[in-house]
Amino acid sequence: MPIFFDENKKTFTLETAHAAYQMMVDRDGFLLHLHFGDKLGGGSCAGLIDAGYMDFSPAPDIEGTNRTYTLDLLPQEYPVFGAGDYRSHCMAVTLADGARNPELIYASHRILDEKPVLEGLPGLHGACETLEITLRDRWTDLEVVLLYSVFAEYDAIARSARIVNRTGAPIRLNAALSACLDVPESGFDLIHFWGRHVMERQVERTPITHGKISVDSVRGTSSHQHNPFVILCDHMATEDAGRCWGFSLLYSGNFVACAEEDQSCSCRVTMGINPTGFEWRLENGESFQTPEAALVYSGEGIGALSRRYHKLYRRNLCRGEWALKQRPVLINNWEATYFDFDDDKLVKIAEQASELGVEMLVVDDGWFGNRFDDNRALGDWIVNTEKVRGGMGKLCERINALGMKLGLWFEPEMISEDSELYRAHPDWCLHAPGRGTSRGRNQLVLDMSRKDVRDCIHDMMYTVLSSANFAYVKWDMNRHLTDVWSAELPADRQGELYHRFVLGVYELLERLEGEFPQILFEGCSGGGGRFDAGMLYYHPQIWCSDDTDPIERLEIQYGTSFGYPISTVGAHVSASPNHQTGRVTSFHTRGVVAMSGTFGYELDLRKLSEDEKEQVKAQVKQYHKQYSLINDGDYYRLLDLTAQKDISAWEFAAEDGSRALLNIVYMHVRGNFQPPVLHLRGLTPDASYRLTEDNGREIGVWTGAALMNAGFRVPRSNACYPAGATDYAAFQIELERIG
Ligand code: DGJ
């Protein structure tokens, strides 16, 4: 029973493997946050509360003339705008009479022994207990139901809120966030993940000082630019030590994560749907469910925090047949052919791939309608039989005959003006009447909030997917939203459209994935523009970035690893010189980097040298051999890429310490370079390990303690003489416990 309620002290305690989350109902009925951190030994931290005195911070009406109580200083589970707490809030609401100052008071609670499904939204699943606390406005029957599901093994609390209008009249939600965490201290950092197309999830660590730091998206999707995952941590926290709190939103649309240090030097983090562009009309009797935020705590540094998210998301977020199943090594034709392909060319690529051990061909953009370039045909999900003669059924037979599976690309949320769909339904895209529309990649965005639009796209996709034995779908999305106006919504409900768009996308995904449970879905948005925990509920893997340069990828995959498991990271070996950067790297280096992901190829394998072809065979073999270690093992970042960018090093270790895989890539070699020492992790201290390179060369035998405590010197590259180092050399070293 991880959830306890102390009736006398009116205290709730949620116990996890290493942590405790505690809150209390105070004398006025406000639900105050007490603690989310290391265990409390069964004790209460109610003594932390100082309702305080602060000029210019008013007391609520219930306190009468008492000048020593203010919501502006109190830590709160679900702070509300307008009633005397001037810090960042979770809810802002306009009641029917225009009043905007509800006061949420504890009404009741219950403990469920399951994880409630959030209708129409992604959510964690699996065995857990859930605490449901109902708060009610002191003055009306506006209710907020707070949900806390405890995933004890991972020190994770899944939080969301349901706002229920029982006021007897319609109300307007101006903000409805998912979670808030108050920590009554200062001196924290915020780690967040910024980027742009082909440069996603760059790690930035910023001290939190007085005021607010917020990262957000108003692009209609979670975006390349900011990720809905942030970490609050002690200023001194490292990979291995210090307190840190992760905030991860299971949502794929506009979001905000805000960290604030207030006048009393306390820290507050809020996360949820971005209130910018959001307004929701809630009729009497209706409710609004916020997305879920997964909060995870680690008192043992950022590395442990990441490992908890990895396990939680792999086991309790990803769903379906493919969540834990070994993924096929694939060849994707995008960078091999772009739009210039036909069935024979695809089969030739597949023939070469199958000889080398590759297991699936993915036909990317260009197989449908009049799609000879990226200016047309989105929305016409009908096979172009000039390119794929005999249709998908025939192509699939030819690919299956090679012993390979077949996968297909779609971009369901988009429409080209030059398409049959647009000519038939020019009103189906997001657009405001009498105004122009912005184009991105010369495409418009379909109004996914509309059922008729979703039904039409569904039916086309269903027809194609039923026409052949498909094993995989890549679901792409190549522009952000503008002109967010729907012909289906009245003027005073247009503020609901961003969220309704996301709900529509989720509904279509749910429908298709239910109809084709055998298909592995990979998410994509111009690479990793929608790499979020919401999408992972529908797709167990997401194309990490359109940047396939292995050296650029080191930083992108590094950033991604903070909040997302390796099994979700789509990664391919592509051509050299690289198509995004022109950088030349060895085939080996490209393989080492792509192997820390779902692994596949994205180049014309027929153009490889015989030596490179042999390397493909060896890489596929190695990937199969290391699959469980890479995907089920513990992942350790060994060097901080925000502190230096000369070498990247990371390790996978089996939970029982029996094996490990060490990966090292030289990113930039400087004059008179002295390779650094790495402190390995996750090994059995007093056992011996044999270290062998992926080319079979034995490096030596060390004890686990020596490798972890004294360290392992990064090898010099053999590529230069006398043995020195070169840019982009990579090492993959297997550690086997031998006694
Ligand atoms: C963007 C994706 O990220 C690429 O991999 C490719 O599928 C293109 N779209 C196709 O248009």
Side-chain angles (χ1 to χ4, degrees), residues 379-686:
D380 295 344
W381 303 109
I382 295 161
V383 181
N384 179 325
T385 47
E386 273 172 51
K387 277 185 161 186
V388 184
R389 286 158 293 203
M392 284 295 169
K394 181 90 190 110
L395 177 65
C396 195
E397 278 169 26
R398 294 172 75 188
I399 300 300
N400 287 170
L402 296 168
M404 291 178 76
K405 301 177 194 303
L406 183 65
L408 199 58
W409 178 97
F410 287 93
E411 193 176 356
E413 299 148 69
M414 297 292 149
I415 183 166
S416 306
E417 285 158 287
D418 182 1
S419 69
E420 296 306 323
L421 189 69
Y422 187 82
R423 284 184 273 278
H425 300 286
D427 57 327
W428 275 13
C429 62
L430 296 176
H431 71 289
R435 294 167 187 270
T437 43
S438 332
R439 291 164 191 84
R441 208 192 190 196
N442 270 344
Q443 59 196 56
L444 308 179
V445 183
L446 280 170
D447 180 356
M448 297 301 286
S449 73
R450 289 176 63 155
K451 185 165 181 326
D452 53 354
V453 171
R454 295 197 303 273
D455 285 348
C456 173
I457 299 297
H458 166 270
D459 293 350
M460 284 189 271
M461 292 180 73
Y462 184 90
T463 304
V464 177
L465 291 176
S466 324
S467 72
N469 178 26
F470 285 107
Y472 166 107
V473 162
K474 178 173 170 186
W475 184 297
D476 205 347
M477 203 270 188
N478 282 303
R479 63 157 290 185
H480 292 146
L481 276 53
T482 53
D483 318 296
V484 179
W485 189 92
S486 171
E488 290 282 282
L489 291 173
D492 67 345
R493 301 200 86 138
Q494 295 294 333
E496 300 174 16
L497 188 49
Y498 277 109
H499 183 53
R500 287 187 184 277
F501 179 93
V502 179
L503 294 179
V505 173
Y506 287 159
E507 191 268 343
L508 182 56
L509 278 161
E510 187 77 40
R511 213 184 329 169
L512 282 162
E513 293 183 5
E515 287 161 348
F516 298 97
Q518 76 285 6
I519 290 184
L520 165 62
F521 280 77
E522 174 156 357
C524 177
S525 175
R530 207 159 50 180
F531 206 119
D532 59 62
M535 273 298 154
L536 288 179
Y537 182 71
Y538 301 96
H539 314 303
Q541 62 189 56
I542 298 175
W543 181 226
C544 187
S545 177
D546 271 349
D547 193 336
T548 59
D549 175 333
I551 304 307
E552 297 280 290
R553 268 298 184 113
L554 288 170
E555 284 184 78
I556 297 169
Q557 294 179 193
Y558 172 81
T560 307
S561 77
F562 280 75
Y564 304 102
I566 305 305
S567 62
T568 64
V569 175
H572 300 164
V573 172
S574 64
S576 177
N578 178 266
H579 289 197
Q580 289 76 44
T581 62
R583 196 192 313 264
V584 174
T585 54
S586 74
F587 207 81
H588 179 245
T589 297
R590 284 175 268 157
V592 168
V593 177
M595 230 175 261
S596 287
T598 58
F599 200 55
Y601 293 86
E602 180 143 351
L603 73 174
D604 192 339
L605 292 168
R606 296 172 303 167
K607 295 184 179 154
L608 297 184
S609 67
E610 287 312 308
D611 174 59
E612 287 171 329
K613 286 180 189 167
E614 286 308 310
Q615 290 194 58
V616 175
K617 285 188 199 162
Q619 286 173 351
V620 172
K621 210 166 138 204
Q622 168 77 337
Y623 184 65
H624 284 151
K625 181 177 171 203
Q626 306 294 351
Y627 188 88
S628 64
L629 189 54
I630 291 171
N631 289 285
D632 300 322
D634 286 331
Y635 173 87
Y636 295 91
R637 292 177 288 268
L638 299 181
L639 290 176
D640 179 352
L641 286 189
T642 63
Q644 59 82 43
K645 294 192 196 301
D646 296 341
I647 291 192
S648 179
W650 66 102
E651 179 197 342
F652 302 99
E655 269 185 76
D656 66 0
S658 57
R659 292 167 61 208
L661 189 69
L662 171 62
N663 302 275
I664 302 164
V665 181
Y666 278 96
M667 299 168 79
H668 182 75
V669 175
R670 295 166 193 282
N672 281 332
F673 192 79
Q674 180 72 359
V677 166
L678 305 172
H679 290 269
L680 304 198
R681 298 278 181 269
L683 307 177
T684 313
D686 48 10

Side-chain angles (χ1 to χ4, degrees), residues 107-122:
S108 63
H109 76 270
R110 58 185 187 136
I111 297 171
L112 315 172
D113 60 5
E114 59 175 16
K115 172 68 180 49
V117 171
L118 308 185
E119 211 192 316
L121 283 166

